[in-house]
C-alpha cells in the first residue's frame, strides 16, 4: 500500500509539474504580445542555452582550500553514496560548481567519473564478501539484468529531455522525486529498525535459555556444531560471487549502447541517421529486459505450481506482468533522473530494491554493480566529447575509489557488530535528502535569476538546442 501511495504521489506530482509549464508559458506570453518579441526572446534563450552548454569553465588543479574542501565532501559523499547504493551525484554536482568553480556540464561529467570510481571499488569489495544469510552471490544478477538495460535507456531519454525541459522544471521534478524517495526510505529504515530490535531480543532470550532433550533447563549453554561450517578464502568467495555468463551479457549491452552513443554524436542532430541510432537503443534494452522478465515469470509460475514459495531472487514479490511493468517504469524513471541530473540513477534503483524485498546489503551491492555500467558508459562518452579535464578526473576518481572501498568496509563492520542492516537504509535516505536540499537550493536560486532576467521559461526546441 505504501509503494502504491509513493507511485501515485510521484506520477501525480510529475503530471502537475509538467502541465504547469504550459500555464507559465501562457502567462509569460501575456506580457509579450507582439509576435516578434516572443520569437526573438525564444531565439535568444536558445542561443544563450547553447552557449552555456558549450562554454567551459575548468579551474586549474592546484592545492587550495577549495580543493581540500571538495576532497573532503567528495570522499564523504562517495563513501555514503555507494553504501546506500545511490551514487551521490546530487552532492557532487553542486560541490563542483559552487566550491571548485566548474560549469554545470563539466560538473555533471566529473560527477559521472566520481560515481564510476566509487561504484567500481564498491563492486570489488562486495565481490570479496559472502552473502549475509544465504549460500548465493551477494550481487543479484537477475535483478541486474532486469534493471540495467532500462536504466541505460532511461539515461539516454534523460539527456534528451534535459535539452528540452526548462531548468526550473528539472529542479521541481528533482525536489519532488528526492523528497518522496528519501521519506519512503526513512520510513522503511524505521520499520527495519523495529524488526531488528524484536529479533535481537528474541535471539538474546533463546541464547539465555536452552532446553535439552531430557527436559532440563540449561542457562547460558553453548554447543559446538557437529559439522563445523567451512570457512572460505577471499579467492573462493570471489569466484563464487562472479557469474561470468551474466557479466558477459551486461558487458555486451554496455558495448552496444556505447557504440550507438558514439555514432549518434558523430552525425547531425535530428538527421535521419541520428534518429536511427537513437531508436536502435530501444530494441536492445527491451530485448534483454523482456528475456529476463519472461524467465522470472516462468520460474515463478513453476515454483508456485509445485508449492515452492521460495523466492526466485532476492526480491520477495510475485513476478507478475504488473510487477514487471512497475519495475520497467522505475528503471526508466531512475535512468531519466540520472540523465537530467548527472547521477548514476541509484536514487530510484536503491529505494526500489528495498521496496521489493531485497535486504540492504544485497540492494547496495546490486545497485552499485548496475551503476558501474551506467556511469562508465557516460564517462567514456564524455571523454570522447572532451567534456572534462583529465587531471581533475583522475584526482577525483582516485578519491572516490578510496572512499567507496573504505566506506563499504567501515559500514559493513558496523552492521556486523550492531547486527542492524537498517543503518544502510538510513544512510541511503540521508544522502537522497541531502541531495534534495543542495540541488533544490541551487535550482531555485538559478530559476529566480532566470525570471529576473526575463528568460524563456517554456519547453525548448530539441533540434535547435543540440
Amino acid at each position: 500500500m505504501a509503494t502504491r501511495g509513493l507511485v501515485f504521489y510521484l506520477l501525480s506530482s510529475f503530471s502537475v509539474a509538467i502541465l504547469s509549464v504550459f500555464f507559465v508559458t501562457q502567462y509569460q506570453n501575456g506580457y509579450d504580445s507582439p509576435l516578434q518579441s516572443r520569437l526573438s526572446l525564444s531565439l535568444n534563450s536558445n542561443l544563450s542555452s547553447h552557449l552555456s552548454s558549450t562554454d567551459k569553465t575548468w579551474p586549474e588543479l592546484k592545492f587550495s582550500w577549495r580543493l581540500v574542501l571538495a576532497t573532503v565532501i567528495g570522499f564523504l559523499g562517495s563513501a555514503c553514496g555507494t553504501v546506500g547504493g545511490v551514487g551521490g551525484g546530487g552532492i557532487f554536482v553542486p560541490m563542483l560548481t559552487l566550491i571548485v568553480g566548474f560549469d554545470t556540464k563539466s560538473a555533471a561529467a566529473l560527477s559521472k567519473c566520481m560515481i564510476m570510481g566509487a561504484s567500481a571499488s564498491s563492486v570489488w569489495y562486495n565481490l570479496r564478501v559472502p552473502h549475509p544469510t544465504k549460500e548465493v552471490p551477494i550481487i543479484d544478477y537477475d535483478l541486474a539484468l532486469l534493471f540495467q538495460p532500462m536504466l541505460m535507456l532511461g539515461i539516454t531519454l534523460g539527456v534528451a529531455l534535459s535539452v528540452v525541459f526548462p531548468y526550473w522544471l528539472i529542479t521541481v521534478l528533482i525536489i519532488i522525486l528526492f523528497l518522496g524517495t528519501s521519506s519512503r526510505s526513512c520510513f522503511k529504515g524505521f520499520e527495519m529498525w523495529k524488526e531488528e530490535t524484536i529479533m535481537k531480543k528474541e535471539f538474546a532470550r533463546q541464547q539465555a535459555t536452552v532446553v535439552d532433550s531430557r527436559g532440563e533447563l540449561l542457562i547460558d549453554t553453548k554447543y559446538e556444531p557437529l559439522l563445523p561450517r567451512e570457512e572460505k578464502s577471499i579467492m573462493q568467495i570471489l569466484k563464487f560471487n562472479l557469474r561470468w555468463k551474466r557479466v558477459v551479457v551486461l558487458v555486451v549491452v554496455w558495448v552496444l549502447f556505447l557504440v550507438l552513443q558514439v555514432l549518434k554524436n558523430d552525425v547531425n542532430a535530428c538527421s535521419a541517421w541520428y534518429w536511427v541510432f537513437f531508436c536502435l537503443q530501444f530494441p536492445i534494452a527491451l530485448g534483454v529486459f523482456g528475456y529476463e522478465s519472461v524467465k522470472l515469470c516462468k520460474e515463478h509460475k513453476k515454483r508456485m505450481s509445485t508449492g515452492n514459495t521460495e523466492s526466485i531472487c532476492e526480491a520477495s514479490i510475485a513476478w507478475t506482468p504488473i510487477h514487471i511493468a512497475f519495475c520497467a517504469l522505475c528503471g526508466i524513471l531512475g535512468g531519466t533522473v540520472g540523465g537530467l541530473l548527472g547521477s548514476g540513477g541509484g536514487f530510484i534503483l536503491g529505494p526500489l530494491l528495498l521496496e521489493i524485498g531485497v535486504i540492504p546489503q544485497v540492494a547496495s551491492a546490486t545497485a552499485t554493480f548496475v551503476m558501474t555500467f551506467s556511469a562508465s558508459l557516460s564517462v567514456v562518452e564524455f571523454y570522447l566529447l572532451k567534456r572534462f579535464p583529465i587531471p581533475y578526473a583522475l584526482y577525483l576518481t582516485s578519491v572516490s575509489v578510496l572512499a567507496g572501498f573504505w566506506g563499504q568496509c567501515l559500514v559493513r563492520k558496523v552492521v556486523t557488530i550492531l547486527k542492524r542492516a537498517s543503518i544502510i537504509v538510513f544512510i541511503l535516505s540521508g544522502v537522497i535528502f541531502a541531495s534534495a536540499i543542495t540541488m533544490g537550493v541551487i535550482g531555485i536560486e538559478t530559476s529566480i535569476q532566470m525570471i529576473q532576467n526575463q528568460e524563456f521559461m517554456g519547453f525548448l526546441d530539441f533540434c535547435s538546442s543540440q
Side-chain angles (χ1 to χ4, degrees):
M1 184 63 66
T3 304
R4 293 179 181 179
L6 176 62
V7 174
F8 177 77
Y9 160 77
L10 293 177
L11 292 178
S12 58
S13 301
F14 281 16
S15 300
V16 172
I18 294 175
L19 290 176
S20 65
V21 178
F22 298 100
F23 173 78
V24 172
T25 305
Q26 293 295 328
Y27 180 80
Q28 186 178 26
N29 289 343
Y31 287 93
D32 299 324
S33 55
L35 178 61
Q36 185 64 32
S37 62
R38 293 202 300 268
L39 290 175
S40 62
L41 181 61
S42 177
L43 290 174
N44 289 334
S45 65
N46 286 335
L47 179 60
S48 62
S49 175
H50 177 71
L51 290 176
S52 63
S53 64
T54 55
D55 289 347
K56 299 177 181 178
T57 304
W58 290 357
E60 182 182 356
L61 180 60
K62 59 181 180 180
F63 182 80
S64 64
W65 68 270
R66 294 179 181 272
L67 183 63
V68 173
L69 183 58
T71 302
V72 173
I73 295 176
F75 187 92
L76 296 177
S78 297
C80 296
T82 52
V83 168
V86 295
I91 297 176
F92 299 150
V93 174
M95 178 265 292
L96 292 169
T97 54
L98 294 179
I99 298 177
V100 184
F102 281 97
D103 62 278
T104 305
K105 298 291 184 180
S106 300
L110 287 172
S111 171
K112 291 287 189 179
C113 295
M114 298 179 70
I115 294 172
M116 180 193 69
S119 299
S121 64
S122 297
V123 170
W124 172 247
Y125 175 85
N126 289 323
L127 288 174
R128 298 163 63 248
V129 297
H131 192 286
T133 59
K134 301 178 182 178
E135 194 67 20
V136 294
I138 194 171
I139 297 175
D140 195 310
Y141 291 95
D142 286 320
L143 294 179
L145 281 170
L146 189 70
F147 286 109
Q148 188 234 21
M150 307 309 290
L151 193 70
M152 299 178 78
L153 180 61
I155 289 177
T156 301
L157 297 176
V159 172
L161 291 177
S162 66
V163 178
V164 178
F165 279 19
Y167 185 83
W168 67 268
L169 177 60
I170 297 176
T171 301
V172 171
L173 295 180
I174 288 174
I175 293 175
I176 292 172
L177 177 65
F178 285 10
L179 290 181
T181 53
S182 64
S183 300
R184 177 55 191 161
S185 298
C186 186
F187 287 133
K188 188 77 173 180
F190 281 119
E191 292 175 0
M192 293 184 62
W193 183 276
K194 293 178 182 178
E195 294 175 358
E196 290 166 348
T197 301
I198 296 174
M199 291 178 62
K200 290 182 69 174
K201 290 181 179 180
E202 182 66 20
F203 180 76
R205 187 184 65 82
Q206 293 178 358
Q207 288 291 102
T209 304
V210 180
V211 179
D212 68 356
S213 59
R214 294 175 297 176
E216 298 177 351
L217 189 64
L218 305 178
I219 307 297
D220 294 335
T221 303
K222 295 183 180 180
Y223 296 94
E224 292 294 331
L226 297 177
L227 296 176
R229 184 177 180 180
E230 181 184 358
E231 294 293 335
K232 296 182 179 180
S233 64
I234 294 179
M235 185 57 64
Q236 289 176 326
I237 297 174
L238 178 63
K239 292 180 179 179
F240 181 76
N241 281 329
L242 276 175
R243 294 292 186 267
W244 288 108
K245 292 183 179 180
R246 306 294 183 89
V247 174
V248 169
V249 174
L250 293 171
V251 171
V252 169
V253 175
W254 183 90
V255 172
L256 292 176
F257 266 84
L258 176 62
V259 171
L260 290 176
Q261 290 295 322
V262 172
L263 294 176
K264 181 169 66 69
N265 291 327
D266 287 339
V267 299
N268 295 327
C270 294
S271 63
W273 280 111
Y274 178 91
W275 291 115
V276 168
F277 295 139
F278 184 87
C279 294
L280 281 176
Q281 299 171 110
F282 287 84
I284 296 174
L286 294 176
V288 178
F289 176 83
Y291 174 81
E292 188 64 26
S293 301
V294 171
K295 175 188 172 185
L296 290 175
C297 287
K298 287 183 177 180
E299 291 184 1
H300 176 74
K301 290 182 179 180
K302 183 178 179 180
R303 287 175 180 270
M304 295 301 293
S305 63
T306 57
N308 185 1
T309 59
E310 183 182 356
S311 300
I312 301 171
C313 56
E314 290 293 332
S316 58
I317 65 173
W319 289 108
T320 61
I322 296 178
H323 289 152
I324 292 290
F326 173 74
C327 291
L329 175 64
C330 292
I332 293 179
L333 181 60
T336 302
V337 173
L340 287 172
L341 177 62
S343 65
F347 292 99
I348 288 290
L349 185 57
L352 173 63
L353 293 178
L354 295 175
E355 285 293 328
I356 61 179
V358 181
I359 62 175
Q361 296 94 322
V362 178
S364 173
T366 305
T368 52
F369 179 69
V370 174
M371 279 195 302
T372 302
F373 288 96
S374 61
S376 59
L377 174 67
S378 300
V379 169
V380 175
E381 183 180 357
F382 285 143
Y383 172 76
L384 296 176
L385 295 175
K386 299 180 180 180
R387 290 284 185 87
F388 55 80
I390 300 300
Y392 256 107
L394 294 176
Y395 174 75
L396 294 175
T397 302
S398 302
V399 172
S400 298
V401 167
L402 294 176
F405 184 87
W406 289 110
Q408 289 280 355
C409 182
L410 177 61
V411 173
R412 294 302 173 92
K413 287 185 177 179
V414 173
V415 170
T416 303
I417 295 173
L418 299 180
K419 294 181 174 59
R420 290 189 181 273
S422 56
I423 294 175
I424 298 176
V425 183
F426 286 124
I427 293 176
L428 179 147
S429 177
V431 172
I432 298 178
F433 183 75
S435 301
I437 298 299
T438 55
M439 296 298 296
V441 170
I442 294 175
I444 292 173
E445 181 181 1
T446 304
S447 300
I448 292 175
Q449 293 178 355
M450 294 176 64
I451 294 174
Q452 293 175 348
N453 296 333
Q454 297 183 352
E455 297 185 30
F456 184 66
M457 306 296 290
F459 290 111
L460 300 176
D461 182 75
F462 177 77
C463 297
S464 61
S465 300
Q466 290 292 316

